[in-house]
Amino acid sequence: MESYKKWVRRNKDYVHSLESLANGLTWLLPERFSASEIGPEAVTAILGIITAINEHIIDTTPTQMHVGPMEPNSFPYSLCISAIKDLETLVEVAAQHYFGDNKKWNFIAVTEATKVLVRLILFRNSGYKMLLHGGETPNIEKHSDFSSSQHNVGGFPKPGSRHGPNGLNPWNLEGRALSALSRFGENARMSSDPVWLRRGEHLQAIMEPPSSAIERPTLSMILSEKGVQGALFLMGEVLFIIRPLIYVLFIRKYGIRSWIPWFVSLAVDAGGVGFLTQVTKSRDGGKEQHYHLTASEQDELKRRKLLWALYLMRDPFFTKYTRQRLQSTEKLLEPVPIIGLLTAKIVELVVGAQTRYTYMSGS
């Protein structure tokens, strides 16, 4: 095992290329979305878990870890969440094959509940920071107004704190210039780097020596420091975490063709993003504090809004509207050589993915 870890760490670029190629080829496996798709899904799940393990090995390179006490949240939550997400589709197809369409939702609900539990634990142990990509990407980026635990609590600046990152005063010319350059560099990096590379950036934070003065924010600290705004932030993040479970439970009760689960899930999504958007707005006069998002958290909030497009792929909206549009486009392009064949294959993949990946996506 140690020799494998060394090989992965020495050839991480090569490993990522192989993983991308292998994951792409799984979509071309025969009968992927037929009644006998347990085998292909098992292959996909195994590849996904191997990818997550390799990323965890790269992220925990010993030469880049500081010597000192382990962090309280040293459990590989990101790896655990990735493994659950890779396994949940396999659980679904296996449950459907052996227990039928109705009872499969019991197994899906258990899987989603497990994922919710792990995410809630990660949310608590991280000091109630926003989960990036559902917790698969560690949120280690410091807030723009973060200097030490004496000045901030979980992203909420305390009154009297006038120093920004690295002890600079953000109100003088030098502080404003360096702060602007820092934000520009972070935004440029986050927009250009792939997800797997951003996940590895927490190694830099691991290299920094732990500060004895750092205190992880607790629920009571956030509520006492921020009051209603802190409560809204926590509610928004919790709604994002539990949304897939709520959706599955309502499908289990009312059925996949009912509009009730669709509207309830959309309402939970809109409420969560609405709370997070509200607490990040500046207040008139600047007297009331607001929650400061880092560049990666701003990208995450945009990602969550973009994921609303998945409701076009969820039943009953998909069956009544989206699928008809796809089929009409397929018929229109069918006489065109090559393009018609590619369009038919794309529609087949979209329809197949819709039955498996849309209820759990966006989390």
Side-chain angles (χ1 to χ4, degrees):
M1 188 62 182
E2 287 300 323
S3 59
Y4 176 74
K5 290 181 179 180
K6 293 179 181 178
W7 183 84
V8 170
R9 288 160 181 162
R10 286 198 306 264
N11 304 276
K12 57 182 179 181
D13 293 335
Y14 179 67
V15 169
H16 285 302
S17 299
L18 283 179
E19 290 168 350
S20 299
L21 177 62
N23 288 324
L25 290 176
T26 57
W27 288 91
L28 302 178
L29 290 173
E31 300 182 349
R32 178 175 174 84
F33 299 112
S34 66
S36 58
E37 58 181 297
I38 296 179
E41 286 299 341
V43 173
T44 303
I46 292 173
L47 286 175
I49 293 175
I50 292 175
T51 298
I53 292 175
N54 288 339
E55 290 179 353
H56 180 69
I57 291 174
I58 294 172
D59 291 349
T60 55
T61 303
T63 56
Q64 294 179 323
M65 296 178 64
H66 65 76
V67 178
M70 295 295 294
E71 294 293 330
N73 62 337
S74 58
F75 180 81
Y77 291 103
S78 299
L79 176 60
C80 184
I81 293 171
S82 298
I84 295 174
K85 292 189 68 175
D86 289 323
L87 285 172
E88 57 188 351
T89 304
L90 177 60
V91 170
E92 176 186 355
V93 297
Q96 182 177 359
H97 181 78
Y98 291 107
F99 299 97
D101 289 335
N102 293 329
K103 292 185 178 181
K104 76 174 184 179
W105 294 105
N106 296 331
F107 296 89
I108 296 173
V110 172
T111 306
E112 290 295 337
T114 303
K115 192 165 58 176
V116 166
L117 178 62
V118 175
R119 282 174 171 164
L120 287 175
I121 296 174
L122 173 60
F123 184 48
R124 175 182 177 274
N125 290 352
S126 66
Y128 299 97
K129 288 184 177 181
M130 180 182 291
L131 299 185
L132 305 181
H133 294 88
E136 293 183 83
T137 303
N139 186 356
I140 49 80
E141 186 177 358
K142 294 182 179 181
H143 291 82
S144 59
D145 60 347
F146 186 91
S147 59
S148 67
S149 59
Q150 285 84 7
H151 301 292
N152 294 269
V153 176
F156 298 110
K158 290 186 177 182
S161 174
R162 298 179 55 84
H163 294 281
N166 302 321
L168 294 175
N169 188 338
W171 301 108
N172 61 32
L173 182 60
E174 180 185 6
R176 290 198 303 269
L178 291 177
S179 179
L181 287 174
S182 176
R183 287 196 300 271
F184 176 81
E186 290 173 355
N187 289 331
R189 185 187 72 250
M190 294 300 296
S191 62
S192 60
D193 287 350
V195 173
W196 64 264
L197 184 57
R198 293 203 301 269
R199 292 184 62 177
E201 289 179 351
H202 79 286
L203 296 175
Q204 182 178 357
I206 295 178
M207 295 172 62
E208 297 176 357
S211 173
S212 58
I214 292 178
E215 182 181 2
R216 177 174 290 110
T218 62
L219 184 63
S220 59
M221 290 171 62
I222 292 178
L223 293 177
S224 62
E225 286 292 329
K226 203 53 191 166
V228 175
Q229 297 299 313
L232 289 177
F233 171 79
L234 294 172
M235 288 174 60
E237 198 63 15
V238 170
L239 285 176
F240 166 75
I241 293 173
I242 66 175
R243 197 280 311 167
L245 177 59
I246 293 176
Y247 186 38
V248 168
L249 291 177
F250 271 84
I251 291 177
R252 179 174 173 269
K253 181 176 178 61
Y254 295 100
I256 191 67
R257 304 299 181 185
S258 172
W259 283 98
I260 294 178
W262 192 89
F263 277 113
V264 169
S265 179
L266 179 60
V268 173
D269 255 338
V273 172
F275 288 148
L276 295 176
T277 303
Q278 180 66 26
V279 300
T280 57
K281 289 182 179 179
S282 300
R283 300 300 176 183
D284 296 335
K287 293 183 179 180
E288 187 175 354
Q289 297 171 328
H290 60 279
Y291 189 83
H292 297 271
L293 295 183
T294 64
S296 56
E297 289 171 343
Q298 291 174 2
D299 290 340
E300 171 65 16
L301 190 57
K302 294 177 183 177
R303 185 189 75 92
R304 295 183 186 181
K305 293 178 180 178
L306 290 175
L307 287 175
W308 287 0
L310 287 173
Y311 283 95
L312 302 177
M313 296 291 295
R314 290 173 178 154
D315 278 328
F317 191 96
F318 178 82
T319 302
K320 292 182 178 295
Y321 302 104
T322 308
R323 187 168 188 168
Q324 296 178 4
R325 296 286 185 180
L326 291 174
Q327 290 174 344
S328 61
T329 302
E330 180 184 1
K331 291 180 180 179
L332 180 64
L333 297 176
E334 185 177 2
V336 182
I338 301 178
I339 295 179
L341 181 63
L342 291 175
T343 303
K345 185 62 177 178
I346 292 173
V347 172
E348 178 188 353
L349 291 175
V350 170
V351 173
Q354 185 272 336
T355 63
R356 301 297 184 202
Y357 304 105
T358 55
Y359 71 86
M360 66 186 74
S361 298
S363 61

